[in-house]
Amino acid sequence: WKHTSMGGARNSVPDSCCLYEAHGCGTELFKISDLRVIALKINIHGCLAVMQRRLETHVTLILMVFAGVGSVLAVVELLAIVLACCLASSFSGQDEYDCDHEYGNR
């Protein structure tokens, strides 16, 4: 970034490169001569490695949450189907009993 026209002219990096992003955190960074101090202030590994690491941790967590919620919903749906079948069975058995009872009274 230092050797580009934007970074070299301003002796700075974009604020998004800072480890702790704040307004103006990357300004006049290249005036510091000690590379260790610069390395403590900005990301030096590049965006791809940082983004890949963040995605791996966050996406894994999100997928685990979705899998858990999906499993709970599937169990609830299966339980609802079983209970609906039991309810329908009890209604159909009750109708037959009512019909037999009516014919018996005549």
Side-chain angles (χ1 to χ4, degrees):
W1 184 259
K2 183 177 182 177
H3 301 293
T4 64
S5 60
M6 291 177 60
R10 297 183 182 146
N11 281 328
S12 63
V13 296
D15 292 340
S16 60
C17 291
C18 296
L19 291 174
Y20 305 103
E21 190 173 336
H23 182 68
C25 65
T27 57
E28 303 297 329
L29 189 69
F30 294 128
K31 286 187 175 181
I32 301 171
S33 60
D34 190 4
L35 293 178
R36 292 175 293 184
V37 174
I38 294 174
L40 292 174
K41 292 186 175 190
I42 62 171
N43 287 314
I44 56 173
H45 298 292
C47 294
L48 183 60
V50 172
M51 289 305 295
Q52 185 177 9
R53 188 171 53 247
R54 285 185 183 174
L55 283 175
E56 285 173 355
T57 57
H58 290 92
V59 170
T60 302
L61 177 66
I62 291 170
L63 287 178
M64 287 174 33
V65 168
F66 278 139
V69 170
S71 299
V72 168
L73 286 177
V75 169
V76 168
E77 286 182 19
L78 288 174
L79 183 63
I81 290 170
V82 168
L83 291 176
C85 290
C86 291
L87 184 64
S89 175
S90 72
F91 283 154
S92 67
Q94 188 177 15
D95 289 343
E96 289 176 12
Y97 176 74
D98 288 341
C99 291
D100 291 341
H101 184 67
E102 289 177 15
Y103 291 126
N105 286 337
R106 289 188 182 176

